[in-house]
Each structure stands twice: as structure tokens, then as C-alpha cells.
Amino acid sequence: MPSALTGLSMRHRLLLTLALSLVLVAASALLGLWQTQRLADTAESLYAERLVPLSLLREMARDLGPQGLGGVLNPVAGLRTQGSDRDAQRLADGLRRQWQAYLGTRLDTTEEALAQRLQPQLDTLLQAVPSASQASPEQVRALNQQRLAVMRQIDDLAGFQLSQAQLDTERTREATGEAAQLGVLLVSITALLSGLMIWTIWHRYDEERRAGDDGRERLHRMYQALSRTNQLIVQREAVLELGPTSELTLFDGLCRICVETGHARVATVVLHEGGSYVRAATAGDIERWMPGAPPRWTHDSSFGQSSMSTRAILSGTHQISNRPLQDPSVGGPGAPVIPPGVEALAAFPLRRNGQVVGALSIRADEQDFFDDTVTRLFDEITNDLSFALDNLTRERERAQALLHAREASEELRNLIQAMPIHMVLTRLPDGAVLVINDAMCRRYGISHDEVIGRRLMDLGVGMLPAYRKRYYELLKDHKDVVGFPVQASTRDGRVLSSYVYARRVRYHGQDCMIGCSVDMDGSTTIPEALDIVTKEIRKAEAGSEQSPGESVHADPQS
């Protein structure tokens, strides 16, 4: 019955109980009505079949007694008159009518036998009564004897009617008692069934309530596990832990979360290393719940053949056994013993850069634990961890690229600083200074710190406006500017004449210009210096392209 009520709401269950109770009450009422009808029929039968015949017999006994026919046939009364004959005839006719009415009632076998025995005697008596006035006293005495005999037989019939009436009354009483017992029984059954129905509904409601509480508790633990897993990932990313133990920290934390949130008796992370499988992280009493499980195994070993982690890694899909004791693929020859208390097993693959690198193995204490909801939860947890592993790989690559880029940028600054000619690296198109050597600073009378990130013209030094305009026009049309004669002003107001050499380059993803100048009577080795510096810039640019999202310009020395 509980299973039949599973799909019904509490309201419908109560309505069903009420309907059943009403049906049983109606059945009790119908039974009572039927028993009442039976009692009425019995009473009517008792009246028609016992009381009416008994009344007729008593009337006949009265008419045959001293006040009736006995007074007419009294031999001591003297001579009879015509009036006495008429009374005798009237009494005889009345007795015939009463006897016929009695015979018209329902007679059983005994009554019929008594009536048949009485019939000839009564007929003889009633035929002799009208002519009794001419009879002798001896004949009258004989008629009286015959009358008394008839009265005795009528008394026998009346006694029989009384005994039968008593029997019928007893039967009626028994039937009434049985009807009352049946009514009480039916009412008791109604109360019992109603109580059973109410108990069943309440029991089912209590089971569903407890199941709902368990479901909510399980759902809470699921979200708690998912939330703690995401917190674990975010915390690792927040501290930028990129060392070789970062993966183990994630694996240990994941196993601990699975056990602490009640999803597993024991949780392990298995990694695929070459041709073997290694248990890299565990949580829970592994000696108790995984007795005989080796820390490392191969696919060809007996443990590897039955290991769900191995199958999850090879197939790339989760592997589940909700009843491992009945699963031959888990408990095959050579497989470790599954101890009591472990009722469900599962393994979920872990990926890195799209490749399966390991699996999360779970041993639960409940049969059919891994339903669709729990399975989706663990799929989501392992997908989040796989995403974290991908991020860890990208962060390590980015950190390595940034390190190379910083080293290349430092080499570039050192190289530009070491050049004996005036040299500067500026950003296009705004002309902000990125790198400048001391020779250029001394030439214009400025300091290194004040010029980085600003334009030379903002400090009142550099090319005169007419030369600067022409210079940028040449850079716009040509990649290189070679030996362009210009005049430039210094901070102390001097005007210097020099040749300018420049080349457009890409530096950390930006359009830049490396430029140098020499007095008109100075060195002529500037093109070779530009080639050397350009090679270093390209080297630094290659490093920056491998580290998107971060720039070395955050360094104040750049």
C-alpha cells in the first residue's frame, strides 16, 4: 500500500482515506438496514405464523368451554329450548370459521399431523351439536366427552404454537445478537481499516519527509563539496602557487573535501605516469577501506584489470558500480577484497590540456549512491579541477615567458646603456621614452628618472619643431631613417647639429622607434649599432609574445 500512495499528495491521500471511511460507514449502514428488515420480517412472521394461529385456537377453546358450547351441552340444565339450538348452531358455525382460518395459516409438519388427527373429531362434534336438543342425557354426556377431547387437542395445538413461538423468539434473539455482532465487527473493521489507512499515510508521509530531509542534506553536502572545491582552486590561484607541489595540494584538498562532506569513506587521486598508475593523494582510512591496494600498479596486473581508476583513465569516462559485491568486473580473480561498509564505487577522469592524466576514485557507504545527481556533481568537480590544472599549466608557461621577457628587456637596457652613441627607444605615435642611455641624457642635460614615460619635447629638449615634423613624416613613409640632419635644443638653450638614425620596431606588442644621433663630425658606425640593438629588441619581443596579458612596462626602469 505505501508504494501505491507514493505518487499522491497529502491532500489526495486524506481524501482517499475519507472516501474509504465513508464507503465502510455506508456498508455498515446497509448492513444495519438489512438486519432491521430481517428483524421486521421475523416479527411479522412471528405474528402471522404464531400469534394469529394461537389467538384462533384460544378463541376456539373459549367457544368450546363452559361459557360456550359446554353450556349448551350441559345435561343438568334441563330441557333445551329452540333458542338453545340456535345458539348451538351459531357456535358450531363460528368454530368452523375459526378452524378454517387456523388451517389457512402456515402449518409445519407436526401441526398438520395434529390438525389431521383433530379434524374428524371436530367435524363429528360440530355435526352433532345442532341436534343435541333431541339427544338423551347419556348422548349429551358423550358429546361433552367428545368436546373435552377436542379441547385437549386444541390445547395441545396451542401449546405447540407457544413452544414454536418461544423457539422463533430465541432464533430472533440469536439473529439479533449475530446482527449486532456483525455490526460491531463491521464498525471495528471500518475503524481498523481507517486507522491502518491513516497510519499508512502518516508512515509514508514520515518516510517521504525523512527522505526529503536526507535529499536536502545530500544536496547541501553536494553544494558544499562543489563550493569548497571552487574555493580550493581560487585560493591556489590567489596565492599564485606555481611550484611543483601545486598539483598535489589540489589533489589532497579534493580528496579531503570528498571525505569531510560525507560523499566517501575514502577518496584517492590516481595519476597515469608512463606505463604505470600511481596513487598520488588520499583521504580517509585507506588501510581499512582499501586493504591490499598497492600504491603503484600496471594495467596488466590483476589489480589494474579490476581498478575502476584504470578504466576511467583509459576510457576517458566515469566508471560506476553501485553494487560492487554483485559486479564481476570489480570482484574478479586477483582483485582486492571489498570490505563491509563499502557499498558503491566510482572513478571520474581528470584532464590536463584535453588529455586524461588521472582519475578521482570514490568509495561510498551507501548502495546506489551514485545516482544521476551525484554523478553530475562529481563530473562538475573533476571538470573544475581539470580546468584548474589547465590554468596552472598556462600560468607556469606565462611566468616562464615573463621571466625570459624581463631578462631580454634587461639585456636590451644594458646594451643601449653600453652604446657610446646617443640612443633612445620611444613609443609611437606619442613619442614617450621607454629606454634612454646616459650619453643621450648628458647630451640634453636631463636625468634618466625624469624622462622615462615622458616625451623629450615635454622637457624642452630634442629636435626643433620643423625638424621633428619632417622626421616623423619620414618614419611614417619608411621603416628606417638614415643620416637625417637635424638641429636639437638642450636644456641650457644650446642648439646642436647632428645626424639622426632611426628604425621602426615592435617592442612588447607596441609600435616603437629606436633612434640615435651623432654630431655631424662624429662616428659613422651608427648603422651597425642599430642592427645590434634591433636584434635585442626582436629577442625581447619574442619573449613578450609568449606572455599575453602582462607587460614588462610595469617595471619603472623600462
Side-chain angles (χ1 to χ4, degrees), residues 183-249:
V184 171
L185 178 61
L186 188 57
V187 171
S188 300
I189 292 175
T190 301
L192 179 62
L193 291 178
S194 298
L196 180 62
M197 193 73 177
I198 293 173
W199 179 86
T200 302
I201 290 176
W202 175 255
H203 178 70
R204 188 61 188 172
Y205 167 76
D206 187 60
E207 285 185 346
E208 291 178 355
R209 180 183 57 80
R210 284 188 278 107
D213 292 341
D214 294 342
R216 284 188 292 272
E217 175 63 22
R218 173 183 284 193
L219 190 62
H220 171 72
R221 289 189 283 112
M222 289 178 183
Y223 284 121
Q224 184 182 25
L226 185 60
S227 175
R228 290 183 60 180
T229 302
N230 290 331
Q231 289 176 9
L232 176 69
I233 295 171
V234 171
Q235 289 171 0
R236 191 218 54 84
E237 293 178 349
V239 299
L240 294 177
E241 174 59 44
L242 302 177
T245 61
S246 298
E247 290 88 348
L248 294 180
T249 300

Side-chain angles (χ1 to χ4, degrees), residues 295-322:
R296 180 185 291 268
W297 65 90
T298 62
H299 175 64
D300 297 332
S301 64
S302 58
F303 182 84
Q305 294 293 325
S306 61
S307 170
M308 301 197 74
S309 299
T310 304
R311 283 187 277 169
I313 293 172
L314 293 177
S315 65
T317 59
H318 58 245
Q319 302 293 312
I320 295 174
S321 178
N322 275 317

Side-chain angles (χ1 to χ4, degrees), residues 11-297:
R11 178 182 178 185
H12 288 92
R13 294 176 190 176
L14 292 175
L15 290 176
L16 180 60
T17 303
L18 179 61
L20 180 60
S21 301
L22 291 176
V23 169
L24 293 175
V25 169
S28 300
L30 290 176
L31 177 62
L33 181 63
W34 177 69
Q35 290 294 342
T36 302
Q37 186 63 41
R38 280 188 60 191
L39 291 175
D41 293 342
T42 302
E44 183 179 358
S45 174
L46 182 63
Y47 174 78
E49 297 176 5
R50 300 303 172 198
L51 295 182
V52 170
L54 182 61
S55 176
L56 292 172
L57 290 174
R58 285 179 175 176
E59 288 180 359
M60 291 181 67
R62 183 196 62 198
D63 291 343
L64 288 170
Q67 301 300 323
L69 194 60
V72 175
L73 298 179
N74 188 353
V76 185
L79 297 175
R80 304 224 1 231
T81 63
Q82 286 297 116
S84 298
D85 291 338
R86 288 194 296 272
D87 290 339
Q89 185 63 43
R90 178 178 57 78
L91 289 172
D93 293 339
L95 286 171
R96 287 191 182 92
R97 288 193 300 272
Q98 292 169 357
W99 179 250
Q100 292 301 318
Y102 170 76
L103 294 178
T105 62
R106 190 180 71 85
L107 304 178
D108 58 19
T109 305
T110 303
E111 284 182 288
E112 288 181 355
L114 292 174
Q116 288 176 2
R117 189 176 64 181
L118 176 62
Q119 182 73 47
Q121 300 178 27
L122 181 62
D123 290 342
T124 301
L125 176 64
L126 295 179
Q127 289 175 2
V129 166
S131 59
S133 59
Q134 288 83 26
S136 64
E138 288 77 11
Q139 291 176 333
V140 172
R141 290 188 186 95
L143 286 176
N144 274 322
Q145 293 296 327
Q146 191 175 1
R147 177 181 63 81
L148 292 176
V150 170
M151 287 183 64
R152 285 194 295 272
Q153 293 188 45
I154 289 177
D155 288 339
D156 291 341
L157 284 174
F160 180 79
Q161 287 290 343
L162 287 174
S163 64
Q164 290 300 112
Q166 185 176 2
L167 289 176
D168 290 344
T169 302
E170 290 296 330
R171 292 193 190 99
T172 302
R173 184 182 296 111
E174 291 177 0
T176 304
E178 291 176 357
Q181 292 176 0
L182 185 59
V184 171
L185 178 61
L186 188 57
V187 171
S188 300
I189 292 175
T190 301
L192 179 62
L193 291 178
S194 298
L196 180 62
M197 193 73 177
I198 293 173
W199 179 86
T200 302
I201 290 176
W202 175 255
H203 178 70
R204 188 61 188 172
Y205 167 76
D206 187 60
E207 285 185 346
E208 291 178 355
R209 180 183 57 80
R210 284 188 278 107
D213 292 341
D214 294 342
R216 284 188 292 272
E217 175 63 22
R218 173 183 284 193
L219 190 62
H220 171 72
R221 289 189 283 112
M222 289 178 183
Y223 284 121
Q224 184 182 25
L226 185 60
S227 175
R228 290 183 60 180
T229 302
N230 290 331
Q231 289 176 9
L232 176 69
I233 295 171
V234 171
Q235 289 171 0
R236 191 218 54 84
E237 293 178 349
V239 299
L240 294 177
E241 174 59 44
L242 302 177
T245 61
S246 298
E247 290 88 348
L248 294 180
T249 300
L250 288 174
F251 297 153
D252 286 336
L254 178 60
C255 293
R256 187 177 63 256
I257 289 170
C258 292
V259 173
E260 291 177 354
T261 54
H263 287 90
R265 287 195 180 276
V266 65
T268 63
V269 170
V270 176
L271 298 180
H272 188 200
E273 296 181 356
S276 61
Y277 301 87
V278 181
R279 191 167 60 244
T282 62
D285 191 350
I286 193 169
E287 296 297 330
R288 177 180 178 184
W289 304 116
M290 295 182 66
R296 180 185 291 268
W297 65 90

Side-chain angles (χ1 to χ4, degrees), residues 362-382:
I362 301 294
R363 292 195 167 204
D365 59 353
E366 180 182 338
Q367 285 187 352
D368 303 319
F369 178 77
F370 295 99
D371 55 16
D372 292 340
T373 303
V374 176
T375 301
R376 285 195 299 269
L377 167 72
F378 278 103
D379 282 336
E380 186 170 354
I381 287 177
T382 51

